[in-house]
Amino acid sequence: MKKLFLICTYLCVSSLLLHSQSVHTLTLEESIEIAKSKSYSMLKLGEDLKIAEYNLKSATSRLKTHIDMTIGAPQYTETIESWKDTTGITFYYPVKELGYSTILTINQPLPTDGNIFIQNMLSSGENLNSNFRSSRLRSRIGFSQPLHSFYAYNNIRSTLKRAELDYERSNKQYKREELNLVYQVSSAYYNLLSLQRSTEIAHLDLERQMDAHEISQNKYAAGLIREVDALQMEVDLAEAQNNHDIAVLNEVSAKNSFKELLGLNLDDSVTLNNELNYQIIVVDPEKAIEMALKNRLEVREQEIQIELQKLNIKQQKSNGMIRGSIDAYFERAGIDQQTDIGLFPSIRNSYRNLIDRNSSYGVGLTITIPILDWGENRALVRASESRLKQYNYRKEEVEREIETEVKNLIASINSNLKRLQVLEKNVVVAEKSFEITRQRFSDGDIDSQGLALERNRLNNAYTSHLRAYINYQLSLADLMRKTFYDFQNQLEVE
């Protein structure tokens, strides 16, 4: 009874584990889509893209109206004040004050690096010892405009430009890493497919060797072959069994790595679609080079560096130019100071005083003229200009490197395709040759050594064909990664 209970418990646990596991039969395209949605590297890059997007939004928001309010209600203070009379005697007395204040500021930045603002301020304070209240109401409209932003360096526009370039760079980097992930998944997929096929080849080889071993044992028992040939067959069978076991272990290890790359649960079951189908792709070298130069981040990064360096040069030059600013304001203010008066009546009195009082205004021009810096700023400008030349040289160098890289990759694709087509025929010939050799061994026309040589030739044909297929597929994936163009479907990667 106890034994039956243990068996039932084991079966229940095994059933639960099987139901908790997910079974995936994946094609390459399905593997890539899973990796894009679950891979940790893509999730982190997605957050980097969001950061750049938020920074761009922050830069554009700087040009919009900002409204801020500061409220101090209430503010209570209690302290000791001193007063000295004409005889030099100092008197100390306590002071208790209760105050209220609020400031509303509306600020509108201008594309010219200036700003217009409206500031309204209301404050009221009461001395609780003497019941003396002082209230103040002020409204100011102001304007500030740096003159050098028209002819030298505009900080707001430059900040916005930097944010736009940073967002573009992050967007292209995300696309590049996405294609890198596609290549990594493709490489891992074909590596696992290779090991999966190797296991199948090892299994077929093991079955063939078991058949050959059985035939040799029967022949040895009938006295048709020597003992050494029968012993050699046993050694070959043991070797085939060992190769099969190693292939199974390698496949299991590769499956775990593949599941980790895709972000799948390590307990899930993964099986690949192992049909070795392929499409003959004719790549136009001029098209490939054009798309690579257009889309590669390395080229755009150099262009972005050039644009940023031009901004740096402009900013550095502005430090040595005449700088000026215009500031102006218009203000009305009202004050009320009385004893034994409430908060709201005092505020109303300060408002009446604001209406009756004359307005205040001011306008001013400030100019800063650099007279002598012993050539410091000019040297910094020259250094920035030399750095700009470096970026231009590097851009030309990168373009030549990309062109060479794409040409070599296209040549490799064509070579891999030709080799794959030749090895396909080689597999067909090797299979027919092995069947003829096995029949000859059964008939006693050849010994075990001849059968072993033909079996190795067939295994090598399978392995070489598989390696050529994988090299061809990976070279196509590498071309898409380095041109941002899918030549198989004739479309640009978005």
Side-chain angles (χ1 to χ4, degrees), residues 283-296 299 399-400 402-408 410 479 482-483 485 487:
V283 180
D284 182 4
E286 294 183 0
K287 178 73 173 180
I289 294 172
E290 176 188 351
M291 299 307 297
L293 294 177
K294 173 187 173 184
N295 296 317
R296 286 283 286 272
V299 177
E399 289 175 342
R400 294 186 63 181
I402 290 175
E403 184 176 353
T404 302
E405 182 182 43
V406 171
K407 287 181 177 180
N408 292 339
I410 293 173
L479 181 65
K482 291 177 178 177
T483 60
Y485 191 82
F487 285 90

Side-chain angles (χ1 to χ4, degrees), residues 405-418:
E405 182 182 43
V406 171
K407 287 181 177 180
N408 292 339
L409 184 54
I410 293 173
S412 177
I413 290 173
N414 294 332
S415 175
N416 290 334
L417 176 59
K418 292 179 181 178

Side-chain angles (χ1 to χ4, degrees), residues 162-327:
R162 293 176 191 272
E164 290 174 345
L165 292 174
D166 186 56
Y167 175 72
E168 181 185 355
R169 177 163 48 191
S170 297
N171 199 10
K172 283 188 172 292
Q173 186 176 21
Y174 180 83
K175 187 189 294 185
R176 180 178 68 178
E177 291 304 321
E178 188 177 53
L179 290 176
N180 285 339
L181 178 66
V182 170
Y183 182 78
Q184 290 173 8
V185 173
S186 300
S187 180
Y189 182 92
Y190 288 120
N191 178 59
L192 178 56
L193 179 61
S194 172
L195 294 174
Q196 186 174 302
R197 294 286 291 182
S198 296
T199 302
E200 294 174 4
I201 293 171
H203 182 71
L204 290 174
D205 184 53
L206 178 60
E207 290 182 343
R208 295 191 193 98
Q209 192 58 37
M210 291 175 67
D211 292 341
H213 178 264
E214 184 179 356
I215 294 172
S216 67
Q217 291 299 316
N218 293 334
K219 285 188 173 185
Y220 177 68
L224 299 177
I225 62 173
R226 297 174 300 173
E227 181 181 6
V228 66
D229 290 331
L231 293 175
Q232 182 62 46
M233 278 297 175
E234 291 184 2
V235 172
D236 291 344
L237 177 61
E239 183 180 359
Q241 182 66 57
N242 182 62
N243 292 337
H244 177 265
D245 295 340
I246 293 175
V248 171
L249 290 175
N250 291 336
E251 182 183 354
V252 172
S253 177
K255 279 185 177 180
N256 291 333
S257 300
F258 186 69
K259 287 184 283 188
E260 182 180 359
L261 177 62
L262 265 60
L264 297 175
N265 193 323
L266 293 179
D267 294 328
D268 291 351
S269 175
V270 171
T271 304
L272 304 186
N273 184 358
N274 59 359
E275 294 182 5
L276 303 184
N277 299 325
Y278 67 94
Q279 182 179 351
I280 298 177
I281 306 298
V282 179
V283 180
D284 182 4
E286 294 183 0
K287 178 73 173 180
I289 294 172
E290 176 188 351
M291 299 307 297
L293 294 177
K294 173 187 173 184
N295 296 317
R296 286 283 286 272
L297 178 61
E298 295 93 323
V299 177
R300 185 55 187 156
E301 273 185 338
Q302 298 305 317
E303 293 174 348
I304 290 174
Q305 287 289 353
I306 290 172
E307 293 185 51
L308 291 175
Q309 190 60 25
K310 288 180 179 178
L311 291 176
N312 292 336
I313 293 174
K314 195 172 184 180
Q315 183 179 16
Q316 191 63 52
K317 284 182 177 180
S318 68
N319 294 334
M321 296 180 179
I322 297 176
R323 305 165 69 89
S325 65
I326 295 177
D327 298 280

